Structure formats: C-alpha cells, structure tokens
Amino acid sequence: MFPAGGRETIPVDDSVRAAMAKWPDVPAVYGWLSLDVHGHWRLRGEPITHPGLVAFINRNYDCDHAGRWFFQNGPQRGYVHLEYTPWVLQVDTAGTLRRHTDDPVEDVRGAWLDEEGNLLLETDAGIGVVASDALPVISDWLVDAGGDPLAPERLEPGADAGGAAVAWGERRLPLAAIARAEVPDRFGFVPDPQPPGTGGR
C-alpha cells in the first residue's frame, strides 16, 4: 500500500539529487534515526537539536511504495523508526495545524481516538498523531452531536465518542475509536523498517 503523503519523489535539496546521481547504489541504513510522538527527530535515541540539521531532515523525509518512511541523506537512504505515526501534528502561534516538518495541513479527512487518549487525524499527507502540547488548542475543535463545544474529559479513550466530532472548517469529522496496534495496517505504513533478510518489512 502506498500511503497518502508518501511520494517517492526526488528530494528537495539539489545537493541530495546530485549525490544520488553520482552514487546510485549506496546501501540503505536502518535503526539509527527515529521520530518520537512529540515530532522530534532522534539519532540513536538522542534528540537532534541543531536547527539546520532538523530542517535538512524535514526537507528530505519521504516514503517508499512499501510504506517505509526514510530520510534521504545524500546518496544514502536512512529508514526511520516511527514511535507512532509518520506525521506528528502541531499547532503554531497563529492556530495553524502543521506537520512536524513545519508544512501546513491543507485538509483533514478523518479523526480517531485510541485507547491511550491519543488523537489521530488523517490529513492530506497521511495519518498523524496530535502532539500532546497541541491538544489544548485542538480540544477547542471538539464538538458534541449537537455541534456544541465538547470538553476533552468527556471523551473515553478507545470508546466510540457518542456523536463527538472534530470541527474542520464547515465540516464535522466523526471521532471514531481505534486501537493503537491497528493504526499501521489501517493507514499503510511500516513503523519499524528492517533490513532485507531479517524477517521484517
């Protein structure tokens, strides 16, 4: 399955394109880069804090046709371990919903609540979990069956939300229950890509 947002396009950076053309057969690497549920990149578990490096990873983050997300680092592809979803959603100071790569979300197509209380939104670029620090803002978008504001504490994690919805523009997106373990298969991504021949994907 080829998830929305996974483009297999040529990366943005000219330097990356040139390196790929010059060294087309560099083996991929696994297990060194991860994306946590707060939208932070981690290198072997340690957070990456250099703004330039974070921006470079963000620009060259993509997905292959098998649903494996990666960072194209020059000629070498580094597959990413996802702590949860391929996208982590945040809200900027202007109230705009953004992916962890700082790209704005153009559309939201569905909403789910898992058994841990995580809010997931299916965006134009694919599924994303809402970062915990964005929940106070996004909770203002929750409405009940009558369209009135809904206090988050009225939601029971992992249960059908009884007509609750996320208001997105003029639309109301019903808030459905989902089990966290079901999310990768439901939305077509591989949370922990493995090298060929190791029994993983």
Side-chain angles (χ1 to χ4, degrees):
M1 182 181 294
F2 187 35
R7 304 172 297 278
E8 271 285 32
T9 53
I10 297 173
V12 172
D13 287 28
D14 289 340
S15 61
V16 172
R17 287 198 297 268
M20 291 173 67
K22 187 173 183 179
W23 298 288
D25 298 315
V26 177
V29 295
Y30 299 78
W32 61 275
L33 184 65
S34 62
L35 177 68
D36 70 20
V37 293
H38 306 291
H40 302 144
W41 295 111
R42 292 180 174 271
L43 182 63
R44 297 197 181 279
E46 295 299 320
I48 298 173
T49 58
H50 189 282
L53 179 54
V54 170
F56 180 61
I57 296 172
N58 287 344
R59 290 195 305 270
N60 296 286
Y61 177 57
D62 209 336
C63 180
D64 68 16
H65 290 276
R68 301 175 301 176
W69 289 80
F70 62 86
F71 159 50
Q72 190 70 42
N73 183 21
Q76 187 168 57
R77 179 168 294 188
Y79 284 101
V80 177
H81 170 81
L82 304 171
E83 189 173 348
Y84 200 167
T85 56
W87 301 109
V88 178
L89 305 175
Q90 301 158 334
V91 180
D92 65 19
T93 55
T96 301
L97 186 65
R98 292 183 175 274
R99 304 194 292 276
H100 67 274
T101 53
D102 203 36
D103 300 299
V105 170
E106 302 294 339
D107 191 24
V108 176
R109 301 165 183 169
W112 291 265
L113 193 70
D114 74 9
E115 72 274 20
E116 299 172 2
N118 294 303
L119 177 63
L120 296 101
L121 301 176
E122 185 178 16
T123 75
D124 50 298
I127 192 69
V129 62
V130 175
S132 58
D133 58 357
L135 283 172
V137 176
I138 290 182
S139 66
D140 292 341
W141 305 350
L142 295 175
V143 294
D144 63 19
D148 296 319
L150 175 68
E153 56 267 23
R154 288 176 55 192
L155 296 174
E156 182 180 345
D160 287 328
V166 172
W168 180 260
E170 298 300 316
R171 290 177 292 148
R172 294 180 189 170
L173 305 171
L175 187 58
I178 194 169
R180 179 167 178 163
E182 297 173 359
V183 173
D185 285 341
R186 172 77 175 269
F187 296 100
F189 67 89
V190 179
D192 190 23
Q194 297 296 314
T198 61
R201 289 191 289 179

